[in-house]
Amino acid sequence: MTDILAGLGHGFSVAFQPENLLFVLIGVTVGTLIGLIPGLGPVATIALLLPLTFSLDPAGAVMMLAGIYYGSMYGGRIPAILLRLPGDASAVVTTFDGYPLAQQGRAGPALGITAIGSFLGGTVAIIGLSFLAPTLAGVAKSVGSPDMFVLAAMGLLMIVFLGSGSKVKAIVSAALGVIVATVGLDPTTADPRLTYGSFELTAGVSIVAVAVGLFGIGEILYNAQQGFYGGLARSAIGRVLPTRADWLMTRMAILRSSIIGFFIGIIPGGGGTISAVVAYGAERRFSRHPEKFGKGAMDGLAATETADNSSSNSSFLPLLTLGVPPNPVLALIFGALLLHNITPGPQLIDEYPDVFWGVIASMYVGNILLLILNLPLIGLFVRLLRIPGGIMAPIILMVAVAGVYSVRNSMFDVLLAVIFGIVGYVLRTFNFGLGPFVLGFILGPLLEEHFRRSMVLSDGSFMIFLTRPIPLVLMSLLLAVIIWTVADSRRKNMRPTIDQFREAERAEGVVAESDSGARPGSEGEPVEEGDTPRHPGTDPRHDA
């Protein structure tokens, strides 16, 4: 406990340095503004700003990127509630009750309760992160290469199987990312791989070119095809602070969802979408008025936003302590650290305490700044939604190209970014997830390094993965997730068949009741006088 408090004290001394405070303020402000723009989101924003972090201090750079991440969770609720336009997948659940509340003239209290819930959920997660991270980092120091290989592989596969959409397409996307990561010189033999005679490719593919191409240029191309949003019409927000009745209705939902979001955020592949869905479903069970959910339930809205922000903060735990990013946003922050020659993992707390403790302490500061920004300035943020997306797109494109070029002053990197922009557009068009791609690209070198080390340690025997406790536990967990996913998919596929069967059964019963010449269940037999034809499911004798 003493070490943790001392570490937090050191972290606050780093976070309260004037330049770092400025980076936190910039991060949460930019994150909130970016969350307002439907279709952009934190992944694209962090990808666009990766080049900027190259010239910053590592601690300040990660503080700013972290602020963008959890700041965008705040900002994303505004278009979801007012326009029914979710900025990312997790904000879809926000539209269920947020938009109906706005239609009922309660947009102000809806925005206010989500700001307060987000603050409380984020605070609970940061407190948990502060006390669990050092302990987990200490345990992680005894983790060997076989354990790290299985952990990284499990993280990648969990994201594939817990994500939405086609699992096959997600696996293909992740595999493409791993393949792109192998471009360059072999780390052991220094032989060129997939360079095709290009000298520039011997240094490998830049994470900046991949990220900006996929999430910046690719998203702009995709949104241009789908049609940019036209901007918000004038609308009155009114009172932002929730009433006492709103607070009494939502206080327990906020508490429960903070805890749910914290634990789901730690799981690779968990993230905001799953935490929002789970918290929403749990709150519907606890609610005294579940029939209001989907029609403007304030407690349902508070649950989704609280869990979303709680998970966005707790997801830093596996990144900082194990070096395994649990979602695409953290994968890009992982890449930002790699740009500074810092590899996240168990050694981070000892070798780079300014980064480890500074980032955690900055989250306390950033969370307070977000609450201060979001309650009084909500009217200003709403006005920004009136800017059409078509005006923002060329500005974003210019920033993307300039940022890629600035890292290494290389037009080849710009060309790569354009190529990956086209790749991202094609993948999005055919519903391939971009998240698994970038995670495969980030985790690919980690998988290769630890797999090779494991093979050296075991003289080429795969039994090394079956004789250690951590890989066995992790593989058992992964197997359970795969079985659950397959069973859930089969159940969803069978549901239409079952519904069709029941509908046919009902139709058959109706036909039988209208047929006065035959008793249901007895083909061709006349109905005797005084008997009433019954459907088998409505016959008391049948039920008995």
Side-chain angles (χ1 to χ4, degrees):
M1 179 65 72
T2 305
D3 293 339
I4 293 173
L5 294 177
L8 275 176
H10 176 71
F12 279 111
S13 69
V14 174
F16 280 121
Q17 293 175 7
E19 64 273 19
N20 288 336
L21 276 176
L22 179 61
F23 289 140
V24 175
L25 178 60
I26 291 172
V28 297
T29 305
V30 170
T32 303
L33 296 176
I34 289 303
L36 289 170
I37 303 174
L40 194 54
V43 183
T45 307
I46 290 175
L48 292 170
L49 293 180
L50 268 184
L52 178 64
T53 64
F54 184 69
S55 59
L56 301 180
D57 176 75
V62 178
M63 288 178 191
M64 184 180 69
L65 296 180
I68 291 172
Y69 180 28
Y70 52 79
S72 67
M73 299 295 107
Y74 274 75
R77 77 191 193 282
I78 300 175
I81 291 173
L82 298 181
L83 292 172
R84 210 175 205 168
L85 283 176
D88 54 25
S90 61
V92 172
V93 190
T94 304
T95 65
F96 293 171
D97 290 292
Y99 188 70
L101 283 168
Q103 296 295 98
Q104 296 164 18
R106 304 211 65 210
L111 292 168
I113 202 67
T114 54
I116 294 171
S118 298
F119 168 76
L120 294 175
T123 302
V124 169
I126 297 165
I127 293 172
L129 176 64
S130 303
F131 288 93
L132 280 182
T135 304
L136 188 57
V139 172
K141 291 177 182 178
S142 60
V143 174
S145 284
D147 309 323
M148 283 302 301
F149 171 77
V150 174
L151 183 64
M154 189 201 76
L156 187 57
L157 290 174
M158 287 275 277
I159 287 161
V160 168
F161 282 101
L162 290 179
S164 58
S166 168
K167 305 298 182 282
V168 175
K169 289 182 177 180
I171 292 172
V172 171
S173 184
L176 287 174
V178 173
I179 292 170
V180 172
T182 63
V183 174
L185 298 179
D186 186 290
T188 304
T189 65
D191 293 329
R193 301 185 302 190
L194 302 177
T195 59
Y196 302 103
S198 170
F199 175 75
E200 288 86 353
L201 285 177
T202 55
V205 178
S206 167
I207 174 62
V208 175
V210 172
V212 173
L214 289 177
F215 298 105
I217 299 173
E219 283 294 309
I220 290 173
L221 293 174
Y222 182 78
N223 289 333
Q225 181 193 35
Q226 300 297 315
F228 296 106
Y229 77 101
L232 175 68
R234 293 184 178 275
S235 61
I237 300 300
R239 171 194 171 102
V240 174
L241 289 176
T243 63
R244 183 173 182 272
D246 291 332
W247 170 247
L248 291 175
M249 181 190 301
T250 58
R251 68 189 192 282
M252 293 308 297
I254 290 172
L255 176 61
R256 283 189 288 263
S257 301
S258 299
I259 298 170
I260 290 172
F262 174 79
F263 285 105
I264 292 180
I266 296 172
I267 302 170
T273 306
I274 293 179
S275 62
V277 171
V278 171
Y280 187 80
E283 203 50 45
R284 188 170 186 172
R285 289 181 178 274
F286 282 109
S287 176
R288 296 179 180 177
H289 303 285
E291 70 280 357
K292 292 185 178 180
F293 277 62
K295 301 175 183 177
M298 192 69 79
D299 46 348
L301 176 63
T304 60
E305 284 298 309
T306 302
D308 194 2
N309 281 268
S310 179
S311 67
S312 69
N313 285 278
S314 66
S315 60
F316 280 83
L317 183 62
L319 173 70
L320 296 176
T321 58
L322 299 173
V324 177
N327 59 51
V329 179
L330 272 297
L332 294 179
I333 295 178
F334 185 104
L337 288 169
L338 292 181
L339 287 176
H340 291 275
N341 295 317
I342 297 175
T343 303
Q347 77 286 349
L348 189 67
I349 190 172
D350 295 326
E351 296 180 4
Y352 301 97
D354 286 4
V355 174
F356 185 91
W357 288 111
V359 170
I360 292 176
S362 73
M363 291 181 179
Y364 288 97
V365 179
N367 222 26
I368 294 172
L369 288 175
L370 276 171
L371 189 64
I372 295 172
L373 284 172
N374 274 261
L375 286 179
L377 299 180
I378 192 68
L380 174 62
F381 293 146
V382 169
R383 290 191 186 97
L384 292 174
L385 276 175
R386 295 172 186 159
I387 302 175
I391 295 176
M392 298 296 297
I395 299 173
I396 295 170
L397 188 59
M398 287 190 294
V399 171
V401 173
V404 173
Y405 180 79
S406 67
V407 174
R408 297 192 298 190
N409 296 329
S410 170
M411 283 303 297
F412 183 77
D413 286 350
V414 174
L415 175 62
L416 282 179
V418 172
I419 292 172
F420 280 106
I422 297 171
V423 171
Y425 165 73
V426 172
L427 291 176
R428 287 275 278 132
T429 301
F430 291 97
N431 296 319
F432 284 83
L434 300 182
F437 186 103
V438 75
L439 280 160
F441 179 79
I442 292 292
L443 292 176
L446 191 70
L447 289 167
E448 180 182 11
E449 175 190 354
H450 289 293
F451 179 75
R452 285 187 166 187
R453 286 183 183 178
S454 301
M455 291 297 97
V456 170
L457 289 172
S458 65
D459 292 327
S461 172
F462 287 93
M463 289 302 295
I464 192 171
F465 300 115
L466 301 176
T467 56
R468 297 172 65 92
I470 294 178
L472 274 177
V473 171
L474 293 176
M475 286 191 288
S476 300
L477 178 61
L478 178 61
L479 183 62
V481 170
I482 292 173
I483 292 173
W484 174 81
T485 304
V486 172
D488 186 60
S489 177
R490 286 174 61 88
R491 179 177 57 81
K492 288 179 180 177
N493 290 335
M494 289 178 63
R495 186 177 298 164
T497 305
I498 295 172
D499 291 343
Q500 290 169 6
F501 175 78
R502 288 175 177 170
E503 190 65 34
E505 192 178 45
R506 290 193 201 100
E508 183 184 346
V510 171
V511 170
E513 288 178 8
S514 63
D515 184 358
S516 59
R519 183 190 302 272
S522 302
E523 295 182 3
E525 291 184 19
V527 180
E528 295 180 6
E529 192 172 343
D531 285 347
T532 304
R534 292 180 179 269
H535 187 277
T538 62
D539 191 345
R541 293 170 296 176
H542 215 284
D543 294 340

